[in-house]
Amino acid sequence: MTWFAPLKAPALLTLPLLISVSFSEACFDFLSARQSSALRGLDMFNPARAIEAMQVMNASLRNPLFGAVYFGMPFALTLAVVMMAVLRARVAAAVLGLGLAVHMIGVFGGIVAPNVPLNRELAAVDARAPGGHTIWRAYSTRWQSANLIRMIAAGGSLMLVAATLTAAVQNRRRS
C-alpha cells in the first residue's frame, strides 16, 4: 500500500505539488546562495562597500518575482495539503503539512524574527560613518547565523515536499 492509496487522481491534481516543489526549491536555492557566497563575498569587501551592497540587495528583493515565489509557496503547499486530505491520502497530507510547518516556522519565522530587524537596522546605517567595520561584522555574523537556520529549514521542507511528489508520480505509474 502506498502513501497515496486510494489516490488515482488526474495529473492536473499534481499541479499544486509541482508548484510547491518548484517554489520550495527556489526558496532553498535563494537562501543557500546568500549563505554560501553572497554574504561571504561581502565579508571580503571594505565594510562601507559591503554595507552599501547589502542595502541594495535587500531593497531589490521587493519585486513581484521574489514575492510570488516566497509568498506563493505556502499557498501552493496549503492547497496541496488540502487536496491530499480531500483525496484521503492521509500520509501524504501529513508529510506535506509537516513540510509546510517546517517552512512557516523555519523560513518565515526566521525572516520575521532576526533577519528583517537586522535588515532594517542596516538600512538606517550610513555606510561611510565611522565604525563601519564593527557594524558590518556584527550584522554579517548575526545575519548568517539566522540565515543558516532558514536555509536548513527550507532544505528540510523541500525534501518533504519532493518526497511526496515522488510518491505521487510513482503511484500514477502503477495505476
Side-chain angles (χ1 to χ4, degrees), residues 15-100:
L15 188 59
L17 285 173
L18 289 170
I19 292 169
S20 296
V21 168
S22 298
F23 285 8
S24 293
E25 177 65 26
C27 288
F28 176 72
D29 287 349
F30 171 76
L31 295 169
S32 63
R34 288 191 101 178
Q35 187 70 30
S36 65
S37 62
L39 267 286
R40 294 174 192 271
L42 291 177
D43 283 346
M44 295 177 190
F45 270 168
N46 169 306
R49 289 179 64 200
I51 290 169
E52 288 173 344
M54 191 63 175
Q55 288 169 334
V56 170
M57 287 192 319
N58 286 337
S60 75
L61 289 177
R62 295 179 199 109
N63 69 69
L65 178 61
F66 180 78
V69 169
Y70 203 73
F71 298 107
M73 186 276 186
F75 291 110
L77 192 47
T78 299
L79 179 60
V81 170
V82 169
M83 178 188 76
M84 291 300 152
V86 167
L87 294 171
R88 292 193 216 133
R90 290 182 184 96
V91 175
V95 171
L96 289 171
L98 180 58
L100 179 61

